Amino acid sequence: MLQNLGMLEKDEEGSQWIAGILKAPGRPVRVLQFGEGNFLRAFVDYMIDIANEKADFNGNVVLVKPISFGNLDAFHQQDCRYTVLLRGLVEGKPVEMSRAITSVSDAVDAYGEYEKYTAYARLDTLRFIVSNTTEAGIVLDESDRLDLCPPNSYPGKLCKFLYERAEAFGYAADKGLIILPVELIDDNGIALKRCVKALARLWKLGERFETWLDEACVFTSTLVDRIVAGYPRDEAEAIWQKLGYEDRLLVTGEPFPLWVIESEKDIPGELPLPDCGLPVIFTDNQKPCKQRKVRILNGAHTSFVPAAFLCGYDYVLDAMNDSMIQTFMQKTLYDEVIPTLSLPKEDLMAFAEAVTGRFKNPYIKHALLSICLNSVSKWRARCMPSLLGYVEREHKLPEHLTFSLAALMALYHGGHLKDGALECLRDGQPYTLRDDAAVLAFFAENDQKPAAELTRMFLSSTDFFGQDLTQVPGLETAVATALEDVLARGMRTVMTERFGG
């Protein structure tokens, strides 16, 4: 297996590493994946596994851990094998299906195993790069450096990786890569390419490299949809009994999937996922589908989850069984989000109704704190456009979306930095939030400031929101008032008074 490469002796040119990769048994590595999290494993790697079986894709995936903390021990202990368990209601009937995934052949630490990681840039069979570095991942960091091994940001890592590949293969046109980012920002492929090209110019990598990026590489913009709950900690042993084996990388999700891929170049022949009956759509315009999904499904998650967590819930299903929380979520969608969208209302209403059903899937234990990862950038991408669109259309603030911003601030309030995360308290019990370092530092450093001052500083941060939200009439006062009320009297008390219990 590829993980045995760790036993090879490294040399300066990395020849031992590349030789080990080429001699590895099994299917050739065709996909490099930045991110080893639950979603990619239950979505992309799941589809690749089916394509290997049904469409002779004949390609394996190598997972890259793109951050410095954490480890890959579980992957190496299980030879990168794991199970995807999909459960839910399909046409009103319960469905459960499991699949043992064999498409992942290795997992590599970009920091701790840099030589091994960068050797994949010189792998002849590599054709695709997939990423899910969250909304905060596709950001231009002008302080990033080419001499870092690896560069700090994801665009920096990708730029250096592609440059090393171009150099290794003499800028051959057929050695370019197809880039498939699944981060939930508008035009994710366009944004990622913009960052990569900006770094190429900043690092003076040359016009030849920029031309190769344009002509040999394909940066697609994509939309993905599947609720993935992750590892079912509370029922893992019972599931192992049914499967007949122990799997500590087990990942659960819903049956519903959708992958929409927008590309200027013709790539369906190279990625034959639709041929396997998978719901993958190749298009030249994925924006209508993306806007509907991001603003309704993801926007619903991001708008109600902080409040639901501070009301004492840990999972989406439990929160949705609280009529107050469910009504808050539905009013957010029907009264404040849908009116700002341009798609046919009937389609939007049907999608929103389906979202409620998906959130109430009895088989999915979707942890609220896992949804809270990088909440600030998520709120900016998923909720802010709806809030601003509502203000422009109605000339007043949307009550629920405005409160969701105060709830987000309350979630981050009162914490301290610990091991690269923010540790806060709920009813005296600690919980951990992970976000961009600047976000965590902001809340840790300004914890003692009055709600009004903290709100002014937060909303005016163009780094966080891309614009000064204190310029939205009435928003600063409304958020500060709600935040102060929540901190003084508790989330459930305030929500009950404002939205009914």
Side-chain angles (χ1 to χ4, degrees):
M1 296 301 296
L2 288 179
Q3 56 265 38
N4 292 330
L5 284 169
M7 301 173 62
L8 293 175
E9 181 179 340
K10 293 171 273 189
D11 62 18
E12 291 183 349
E13 299 299 323
S15 59
Q16 293 274 11
W17 296 97
I18 196 70
I21 292 170
L22 291 173
K23 292 178 182 177
R27 295 177 292 257
V29 173
R30 300 188 63 195
V31 183
L32 193 73
Q33 178 173 296
F34 285 86
E36 73 282 10
N38 292 319
F39 180 80
L40 287 177
R41 292 193 293 116
F43 188 83
V44 174
D45 305 334
Y46 174 88
M47 290 193 179
I48 295 296
D49 199 69
I50 292 175
N52 281 333
E53 175 191 335
K54 297 185 176 181
D56 194 28
F57 180 73
N58 191 35
N60 276 341
V61 182
V62 168
L63 311 183
V64 175
K65 184 172 74 68
I67 53 180
S68 57
F69 57 85
N71 63 68
L72 298 169
D73 292 350
F75 290 93
H76 298 312
Q77 289 166 4
Q78 294 192 186
D79 204 24
C80 291
R81 301 293 189 259
Y82 64 94
T83 309
V84 172
L85 177 62
L86 304 178
R87 299 179 293 181
L89 300 177
V90 177
E91 297 180 353
K93 297 180 180 179
V95 170
E96 180 173 321
M97 61 191 85
S98 65
R99 184 178 185 89
I101 304 301
T102 65
S103 59
V104 179
S105 58
D106 197 11
V108 59
D109 182 348
Y111 287 84
E113 303 173 285
Y114 180 75
E115 293 87 353
K116 178 181 175 182
Y117 150 73
T118 197
Y120 282 104
R122 302 185 290 279
L123 183 62
D124 180 77
T125 60
L126 189 66
R127 182 55 173 155
F128 303 92
I129 288 185
V130 178
S131 68
N132 186 19
T133 55
T134 80
E135 287 88 335
I138 301 181
V139 176
L140 176 61
D141 179 2
E142 294 186 349
S143 68
D144 214 351
R145 305 201 322 264
L146 181 66
D147 63 323
L148 293 176
C149 297
N152 290 321
S153 66
Y154 170 54
K157 291 180 179 68
L158 181 59
C159 183
K160 183 172 182 177
F161 186 92
L162 291 173
Y163 178 67
E164 291 181 346
R165 183 172 183 82
E167 287 280 302
F169 289 104
Y171 294 84
D174 64 346
K175 290 300 181 285
L177 299 179
I178 297 173
I179 319 296
L180 297 153
V182 306
E183 291 84 351
L184 289 174
I185 62 172
D186 289 338
D187 298 319
N188 46 23
I190 294 172
L192 180 57
K193 183 176 182 179
R194 187 182 299 123
C195 291
V196 169
K197 294 199 71 171
L199 288 171
R201 289 190 289 271
L202 188 66
W203 293 344
K204 297 180 172 55
L205 300 183
E207 184 176 340
R208 188 183 185 192
F209 176 59
E210 290 193 49
T211 300
W212 185 80
L213 286 175
D214 288 332
E215 297 181 356
C217 295
V218 181
F219 285 77
T220 70
S221 289
T222 75
L223 161 71
V224 292
D225 191 1
R226 166 170 275 167
I227 295 175
V228 174
Y231 183 73
R233 190 173 307 278
D234 295 344
E235 52 179 338
E237 292 192 11
I239 295 174
W240 295 345
Q241 289 293 324
K242 293 176 68 174
L243 293 174
Y245 53 87
E246 181 179 303
D247 183 356
R248 297 190 177 275
L249 291 173
L250 174 69
V251 58
T252 60
E254 65 172 348
F256 178 88
L258 176 66
W259 195 359
V260 183
I261 301 172
E262 176 184 308
S263 173
E264 295 179 351
K265 299 182 180 179
D266 187 17
I267 63 171
E270 296 196 64
L271 197 60
L273 302 179
D275 297 344
C276 310
L278 292 167
V280 177
I281 299 171
F282 291 94
T283 180
D284 59 0
N285 182 16
Q286 46 82 43
K287 288 182 180 179
C289 293
K290 187 166 194 112
Q291 185 188 64
R292 182 187 69 173
K293 188 261 181 176
V294 171
R295 300 271 285 275
I296 294 180
L297 186 142
N298 300 111
H301 265 159
T302 301
S303 61
F304 87 82
V305 160
F309 181 80
L310 292 178
C311 280
Y313 295 110
D314 293 322
Y315 297 98
V316 170
L317 178 61
D318 295 334
M320 292 298 292
N321 287 330
D322 182 324
S323 61
M324 179 183 68
I325 300 293
Q326 180 174 321
T327 299
F328 178 90
M329 187 274 287
Q330 290 178 324
K331 282 187 172 293
T332 302
L333 295 185
Y334 292 114
D335 297 348
E336 299 175 2
V337 175
I338 287 177
T340 70
L341 302 177
S342 57
L343 290 170
K345 186 175 181 180
E346 295 78 9
D347 177 55
L348 297 172
M349 297 286 281
F351 188 80
E353 182 178 354
V355 163
T356 299
R358 292 168 69 186
F359 286 177
K360 299 185 77 171
N361 183 341
Y363 300 95
I364 295 292
K365 295 198 71 173
H366 200 175
L368 299 179
L369 280 182
S370 70
I371 298 171
C372 289
L373 175 69
N374 293 322
S375 281
V376 173
S377 60
K378 284 179 177 176
W379 195 92
R380 172 181 174 177
R382 303 172 176 188
C383 300
M384 190 176 78
S386 296
L387 184 144
L388 297 177
Y390 186 93
V391 171
E392 182 180 3
R393 184 177 184 272
E394 302 293 338
H395 307 292
K396 63 179 182 179
L397 292 172
E399 182 181 9
H400 299 78
L401 285 168
T402 299
F403 187 82
S404 78
L405 189 50
L408 185 153
M409 294 184 67
L411 182 73
Y412 281 68
H413 193 270
H416 65 276
L417 294 176
K418 181 179 179 180
D419 300 328
L422 191 69
E423 186 174 282
C424 305
L425 294 176
R426 182 187 68 176
D427 298 329
Q429 298 300 312
Y431 63 90
T432 299
L433 296 171
R434 296 195 180 277
D435 209 314
D436 183 79
V439 171
L440 302 181
F442 172 86
F443 282 100
E445 293 167 4
N446 297 292
D447 176 53
Q448 300 302 315
K449 288 184 169 59
E453 184 179 353
L454 180 64
T455 300
R456 184 181 310 114
M457 294 173 63
F458 185 56
L459 297 188
S460 63
S461 173
T462 56
D463 288 338
F464 296 160
F465 299 107
Q467 63 186 85
D468 182 354
L469 290 182
T470 65
Q471 299 303 306
V472 179
L475 183 62
E476 178 185 337
T477 299
V479 172
T481 300
L483 175 62
E484 186 173 32
D485 202 12
V486 168
L487 296 179
R489 301 193 297 137
M491 182 62 73
R492 179 167 290 281
T493 298
V494 173
M495 288 193 73
T496 299
E497 289 186 4
R498 285 177 173 241
F499 307 109

